[in-house]
C-alpha cells in the first residue's frame, strides 16, 4: 500500500500552537490533504496523553484510529470521495534536550515514536523524573541527547528516535548555533541506533546528498504542523503495510521507503544566512566575505542551512549517492490558489476554491502530484498551468533567512491578471481555518 505519512505534528498543548490542534481537526485535514498516517504529537503531555487514550482505538499493529462516532462526525463535512479515506495515528512526540557538551550549550530536538500506550507511559514516567512534562507539549529537558536515546530504546520493543529538522540553526543536530558536525558526536556509543534524519523545511534530500556521512540514513520529511491546516506540507511516502512495525522496518532497511514530498528549501525560514532585524540576507559566499558579521549592525549573522551543508559537504551540488530515494518539491495547494486569486492562502476565497477543487478532483496532495493536468484544466486552467510548472520545478524562488519564510511563486508579476482564475466559492467548511501562531 502506497501512502503519505506526516509523523511530526503538535497538539493544542504545545506552545504557540492552534487551539484547533485536536484529533478531530487533525483527522479532517489529513483526509483533505491525502495523508494516511499521522503522528499524534506531544504524547508526553499528561492532558494530551489522556485525550489520546480516550479517543483513539487500536487499528493495525502499533496504529490507532479515531473512535467511530467521532470519525463519522468528521467525515460528514468532507467531499464524498475523500470522506472515508483511512487515517491512522502512531504515538509521536518532539522533545528538546538542553545541556553542556565539550564546552558548548547544545539545544537539540528529537522525534520519539512508541508502538503502544503502555510503552509510551513507561517512557513518560522516566522523563517525568527529569523535568515537568505538563508545561509544554514539546518538553525541554536538561539531559544529554545520548541519554534520551537510551531511555527511548529501553522503553520497549519498537521504540525509536529520529533527530528532528537536523539543520535548523538553533535546534538541529547539525545546526550552526548549538549543534554538532556528526551524528556520532551527538549520540555517542548509541549512534548506531539512529537510522533516519528529518531534513526540515529549509533543506531537501539533494542538499543532504552532498554530505557523504549521511548516506546510511533515510531522509524523512514531515510538516512540524502547529495548526491542522499545515498538515501534509511535507510528507514521507511509504509502500508498505499500514503497520507501525512495517514503517519502522522500512526506515531501517529502505525497503518500501519511496522518498519524500518537500518544500522547496528556499521557502524554509533558515535557508540562507542573514539578520532579520536589519533586513540582511546573504548567500554562503557573501557571509564568508563578511566574516559572518552583519554589515548593518556589526553583530553575528544567523548562519542558515545552506551554509552548514556547504561546511560539511564533500560532494559537489547535484551529486546523488547510489540507491538514494527520490523526492518531489511542492508548494501547498492553498498557496498556489492564493497566488492565482491574488489573496492570502488563509482567506475565505481560497478556502472556497480549494473546497471546490477537492470535491471535484480529490485530496490536495493528489491534485499536486497525480491528477492529470488536463483533468485539472477542466476545472481551473490557471491551476493546471501552475501545477504543470510546479511539477517541472519551474518556479520563482525568494529564499528565507533568520526565521523569515521564503516565497515560491509560479507566475511572474502580472501573469495571473491575464486569465480569469476565479470560481464561485462554496461555503466554508465546519472546520474553519485558524491563523497559525507559529511553525
Amino acid at each position: 500500500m502506497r501512502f503519505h505519512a506526516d509523523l511530526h505534528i503538535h497538539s493544542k498543548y504545545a506552545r504557540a500552537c492552534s487551539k484547533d490542534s485536536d484529533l478531530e481537526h487533525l483527522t479532517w485535514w489529513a483526509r483533505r490533504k491525502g495523508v494516511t498516517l499521522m503522528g499524534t504529537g506531544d504524547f508526553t503531555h499528561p492532558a494530551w496523553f489522556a485525550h489520546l487514550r480516550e479517543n483513539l482505538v487500536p487499528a493495525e499493529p502499533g496504529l490507532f484510529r479515531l473512535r467511530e462516532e467521532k470519525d463519522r462526525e468528521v467525515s460528514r463535512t468532507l467531499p464524498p470521495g475523500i470522506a472515508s479515506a483511512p487515517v491512522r495515528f502512531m504515538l509521536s512526540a518532539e522533545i528538546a534536550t538542553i545541556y553542556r557538551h565539550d564546552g558548548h550549550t547544545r539545544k537539540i530536538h528529537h522525534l520519539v515514536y512508541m508502538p503502544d500506550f503502555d510503552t509510551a507511559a513507561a517512557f513518560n514516567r522516566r522523563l517525568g523524573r527529569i523535568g515537568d512534562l505538563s508545561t509544554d507539549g514539546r518538553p525541554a529537558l536538561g539531559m544529554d541527547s545520548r541519554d534520551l536515546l537510551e531511555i527511548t530504546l529501553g522503553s520497549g520493543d519498537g521504540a525509536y528516535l529520529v533527530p528532528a529538522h537536523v539543520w535548523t540553526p538553533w535546534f538541529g543536530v547539525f545546526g550552526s548555533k548549538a549543534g554538532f558536525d556528526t551524528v556520532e558526536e551527538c549520540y555517542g556509543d548509541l549512534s548506531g541506533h539512529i537510522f533516519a534524519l528529518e531534513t526540515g523545511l529549509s533543506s531537501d534530500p539533494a542538499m543532504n546528498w552532498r554530505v557523504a556521512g549521511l548516506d546510511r540514513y533515510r531522509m524523512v520529511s514531515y510538516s512540524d504542523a502547529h495548526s491542522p491546516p499545515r498538515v501534509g506540507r511535507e510528507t514521507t511516502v511509504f509502500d508498505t503495510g499500514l503497520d507501525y512495525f512495517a514503517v519502522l522496518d522500512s526506515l531501517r532497511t529502505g525497503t518500501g521507503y519511496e522518498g519524500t514530498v518537500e518544500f522547496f528549501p528556499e521557502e524554509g525560514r533558515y535557508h540562507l544566512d542573514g539578520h532579520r532585524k536589519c533586513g540582511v540576507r546573504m548567500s554562503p559566499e557573501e557571509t564568508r566575505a563578511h566574516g559572518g558579521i552583519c554589515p548593518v549592525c556589526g553583530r553575528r549573522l544567523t548562519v542558515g542551512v545552506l551554509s552548514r551543508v556547504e561546511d560539511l559537504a564533500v560532494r559537489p551540488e547535484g551529486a546523488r549517492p547510489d540507491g538514494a530515494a527520490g523526492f518531489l518539491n511542492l508548494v501547498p495547494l492553498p498557496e498556489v490558489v492564493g497566488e492565482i486569486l491574488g489573496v492570502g492562502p488563509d482567506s475565505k476565497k481560497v478556502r472556497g476554491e480549494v473546497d471546490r477543487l477537492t470535491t471535484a478532483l480529490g485530496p490536495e496532495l493528489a491534485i499536486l502530484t497525480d491528477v492529470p493536468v488536463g483533468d485539472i484544466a477542466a476545472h481551473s486552467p490557471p491551476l493546471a498551468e501552475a501545477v504543470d510548472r510546479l511539477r517541472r520545478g519551474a518556479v520563482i524562488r525568494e529564499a528565507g533567512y533568520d526565521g523569515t519564510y521564503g516565497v515560491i511563486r509560479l507566475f511572474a508579476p502580472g501573469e495571473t491578471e491575464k486569465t480569469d482564475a476565479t470560481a464561485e466559492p462554496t461555503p466554508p467548511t465546519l472546520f474553519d481555518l485558524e491563523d497559525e501562531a507559529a511553525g
Side-chain angles (χ1 to χ4, degrees):
M1 175 182 179
R2 191 174 187 275
F3 58 90
H4 290 273
D6 184 357
L7 304 181
H8 182 182
I9 64 98
H10 289 286
S11 74
K12 61 185 178 181
Y13 293 100
R15 190 167 298 156
C17 289
S18 169
K19 63 181 177 62
D20 282 343
S21 292
D22 54 35
L23 289 172
E24 291 90 337
H25 284 85
L26 291 169
T27 300
W28 192 94
W29 281 100
R31 287 198 172 109
R32 164 79 163 256
K33 300 284 185 172
V35 176
T36 299
L37 182 57
M38 292 282 295
T40 61
D42 303 346
F43 74 70
T44 55
H45 192 280
W48 185 241
F49 189 71
H51 180 76
L52 296 175
R53 276 197 132 152
E54 180 181 353
N55 291 283
L56 293 177
V57 295
E60 297 79 9
L63 303 183
F64 303 87
R65 60 175 176 81
L66 194 60
R67 286 191 177 278
E68 188 173 349
E69 63 274 14
K70 291 182 177 291
D71 192 67
R72 283 198 301 268
E73 181 63 21
V74 168
S75 299
R76 187 177 61 81
T77 59
L78 283 163
I82 59 178
S84 60
V87 174
R88 298 293 187 262
F89 288 91
M90 59 191 287
L91 297 174
S92 70
E94 183 180 13
I95 297 162
T97 55
I98 303 174
Y99 57 104
R100 297 284 291 179
H101 182 94
D102 286 345
H104 299 281
T105 298
R106 313 291 181 167
K107 300 178 181 180
I108 313 297
H109 286 193
H110 319 262
L111 301 174
V112 171
Y113 301 95
M114 297 284 159
D116 56 68
F117 282 107
D118 289 343
T119 304
F123 177 80
N124 289 348
R125 285 193 295 272
R126 293 283 301 276
L127 288 197
R129 301 186 192 117
I130 298 168
D132 185 356
L133 301 183
S134 67
T135 58
D136 190 359
R138 182 185 61 204
L141 303 174
M143 63 184 302
D144 194 290
S145 297
R146 182 258 178 215
D147 296 338
L148 176 65
L149 177 56
E150 182 178 43
I151 291 173
T152 302
L153 297 172
S155 296
D157 184 43
Y160 69 100
L161 181 150
V162 174
H165 41 66
V166 294
W167 296 100
T168 302
W170 302 98
F171 304 111
V173 67
F174 304 132
S176 63
K177 295 292 185 181
F180 300 85
D181 286 347
T182 67
V183 170
E184 289 76 14
E185 288 178 86
C186 184
Y187 297 101
D189 60 313
L190 298 180
S191 60
H193 294 278
I194 301 295
F195 43 80
L197 304 173
E198 186 188 38
T199 60
L201 302 183
S202 295
S203 85
D204 62 15
M207 294 169 64
N208 288 265
W209 292 340
R210 298 182 60 195
V211 183
L214 305 186
D215 288 356
R216 76 178 188 87
Y217 301 102
R218 238 63 62 196
M219 295 297 155
V220 298
S221 293
Y222 306 126
S223 69
D224 193 2
H226 288 209
S227 66
R230 300 307 188 257
V231 162
R233 61 182 177 178
E234 291 201 335
T235 70
T236 300
V237 182
F238 294 96
D239 191 357
T240 68
L242 189 56
D243 174 321
Y244 179 99
F245 298 96
V247 169
L248 172 56
D249 183 68
S250 179
L251 291 176
R252 281 178 170 155
T253 67
T255 302
Y257 164 77
E258 295 287 292
T260 57
V261 171
E262 306 266 346
F263 262 35
F264 285 89
E266 293 86 354
E267 192 171 1
R269 297 195 298 165
Y270 293 100
H271 185 71
L272 291 184
D273 311 328
H275 195 186
R276 176 174 47 184
K277 290 183 178 179
C278 296
V280 171
R281 172 174 47 193
M282 290 186 173
S283 68
E285 296 76 18
E286 291 172 318
T287 299
R288 287 193 289 270
H290 285 83
I293 301 300
C294 175
V296 175
C297 70
R299 296 181 179 180
R300 296 204 66 81
L301 297 164
T302 298
V303 174
V305 169
L306 185 59
S307 278
R308 278 295 286 161
V309 169
E310 294 200 352
D311 286 345
L312 302 181
V314 297
R315 296 180 180 129
E317 188 175 350
R320 179 172 182 169
D322 292 341
F327 67 96
L328 181 63
N329 297 114
L330 292 179
V331 176
L333 184 61
E335 293 183 22
V336 178
V337 172
E339 182 181 358
I340 293 170
L341 299 180
V343 295
D346 291 345
S347 70
K348 288 185 177 181
K349 196 172 185 180
V350 168
R351 275 184 278 169
E353 179 66 356
V354 173
D355 281 348
R356 185 181 73 87
L357 292 166
T358 53
T359 298
L361 298 170
E364 294 180 26
L365 282 167
I367 293 172
L368 294 173
T369 61
D370 299 324
V371 176
V373 170
D375 292 353
I376 298 173
H379 297 273
S380 172
L383 180 62
E385 175 62 25
V387 169
D388 180 63
R389 294 183 186 189
L390 187 60
R391 293 176 183 177
R392 292 186 285 110
V395 301
I396 302 164
R397 311 175 193 215
E398 182 180 324
Y401 68 101
D402 195 20
T404 302
Y405 278 110
V407 178
I408 305 297
R409 295 186 176 90
L410 282 305
F411 299 97
E415 267 195 282
T416 56
E417 297 172 6
K418 299 175 184 177
T419 60
D420 178 15
T422 62
E424 186 66 28
T426 59
T429 68
L430 179 65
F431 292 82
D432 286 337
L433 285 165
E434 291 289 332
D435 290 336
E436 183 175 22

